[in-house]
Amino acid sequence: MIPKDHPRYDSLMTREKITEGVEKGITGIMGLLAHGRGEAFDYLIGEKTTQSALQAEKTAAAMLLLAEKPVISINGNVAALVPEEIIELGKLTGAQLEVNIFYRTEERAEKITQHLRALGAEIICTKRDAAIPGLSHERGKVDSEGIFSADVVLVPLEDGDRCKALVDMGKTVITIDLNPLSRTAQTATITIADNITRAIPGISKFARVLKDKNKDELRAIIQEFDNKKNLSESIDGITAHLLHLTQQYRK
Ligand code: PTJ
């Protein structure tokens, strides 16, 4: 039991969720490695949502709301960390949910689906009857009525190869990845360099505000956004945070 007044309470609770996910068979063992990497990058940005991430979250909300067919891809880490928040975002933006895991086993995919259903997810795309071109057999299988035919896909904590293959299909790809240097971060249409535990509620918050705006206002938000510039600002954010820390140590 982690005491609430522990200075690292939030971070430790997030760890508990990931390890529980592994115990329940929802999260893959590789998910622990990915989580550790995420934690390290979160330290580097100061464990807070930066201005550049906020801008990316706002743009992502506008894109999901403008999409004809938005889909949110869910893997083992996402299902363990933010299942309710993802379901809420889907409802707010009209996005369908699809379980799409990298280290695939049927058993784990089924457990994630059941986990989401138990928490109130209504429609989950579960077919694997279409293939993303350019990806080897198992890793490329998706639902023809889900990711395959989506115009906008939110793929948090995604592998770089699959992210690129989705972009190559002409889709608008939004990713959430604390590492602004990752291939996924570099390849996606929009990269949100923030912890998924903050990013999903952040996108939902913007979606609630933006859902009553007209389409031109949403388009204007998207047009203003430049992913390369935003990524460079994310890296600048890390540099500035480190500089601030070194100055404190030198005092
Ligand atoms: O459940 P599966 O089989 O689909 O597997 C999921 C993982 C995440 C294990 C798989 O997609 C994978 O191996 O991903 P990578 O290539 O390790 O990339 C995950 C990225 O997410 C890394 O760049 C991490 O820094 C980042 N990351 C990890 N935890 C978080 C995160 N980004 C945002 N929020 C986090 N909590």
Side-chain angles (χ1 to χ4, degrees):
M1 176 80 178
I2 299 158
K4 276 215 155 131
D5 59 353
H6 190 288
R8 307 233 12 102
Y9 180 79
D10 287 345
S11 173
L12 293 174
M13 285 309 289
T14 309
R15 273 192 187 178
E16 293 274 305
K17 285 187 187 168
I18 275 285
T19 45
E20 263 175 36
V22 174
E23 281 158 13
K24 286 185 190 159
I26 289 169
T27 309
I29 199 83
M30 295 298 183
L32 296 176
L33 289 177
H35 187 76
R37 191 139 41 107
E39 273 189 351
F41 275 97
D42 211 9
Y43 254 92
L44 295 178
I45 64 170
E47 294 177 304
K48 60 179 186 328
T49 302
T50 60
Q51 275 309 314
S52 51
L54 261 184
Q55 206 203 343
E57 284 164 21
K58 183 176 178 183
T59 311
M63 278 191 161
L64 289 168
L65 289 169
L66 261 187
E68 299 264 316
K69 190 168 180 184
V71 173
I72 303 175
S73 175
I74 299 176
N75 66 21
N77 287 47
V78 177
L81 294 180
V82 283
E84 279 136 331
E85 294 84 345
I86 282 279
I87 294 167
E88 190 195 9
L89 179 62
K91 286 182 180 158
L92 269 170
T93 58
Q96 294 185 22
L97 309 182
E98 179 163 342
V99 175
N100 186 28
I101 57 182
F102 186 74
Y103 299 100
R104 176 128 197 141
T105 67
E106 286 314 312
E107 194 192 347
R108 190 154 67 86
E110 182 53 29
K111 281 191 175 162
I112 295 174
T113 305
Q114 292 313 330
H115 177 58
L116 295 171
R117 287 213 168 110
L119 291 171
E122 280 150 22
I123 303 167
I124 304 175
C125 303
T126 52
K127 286 189 288 161
R128 302 186 73 229
D129 58 345
I132 302 172
L135 288 180
S136 59
H137 202 51
E138 280 306 312
R139 285 177 181 173
K141 279 192 193 164
V142 284
D143 191 321
S144 57
E145 291 177 81
I147 289 177
F148 190 78
S149 50
D151 55 345
V152 175
V153 196
L154 170 60
V155 283
L157 282 63
E158 180 57 293
D159 164 71
D161 241 27
R162 295 207 308 188
C163 178
K164 181 172 181 306
L166 291 170
V167 171
D168 289 347
M169 281 179 87
K171 298 184 189 300
T172 294
V173 179
I174 303 165
T175 196
I176 299 169
D177 193 328
L178 273 161
N179 176 4
L181 310 172
S182 76
R183 279 191 63 226
T184 304
Q186 306 284 333
T187 314
T189 320
I190 296 189
T191 306
I192 301 167
D194 197 7
N195 199 317
I196 191 165
T197 57
R198 299 188 296 267
I200 297 294
I203 303 171
S204 289
K205 204 167 158 192
F206 281 116
R208 265 182 230 108
V209 175
L210 296 178
K211 72 178 169 30
D212 298 323
K213 304 274 180 205
N214 68 44
K215 288 192 172 184
D216 285 340
E217 285 176 87
L218 298 182
R219 281 192 202 103
I221 292 170
I222 295 166
Q223 259 155 23
E224 242 177 59
F225 186 81
D226 176 338
N227 204 45
K228 289 273 179 275
K229 184 166 167 279
N230 194 271
L231 272 174
S232 71
E233 285 166 3
S234 296
I235 298 167
D236 284 347
I238 293 177
T239 316
H241 182 62
L242 292 180
L243 215 59
H244 172 72
L245 288 178
T246 53
Q247 278 160 0
Q248 278 189 338
Y249 290 142
R250 283 189 187 128
K251 267 185 195 160

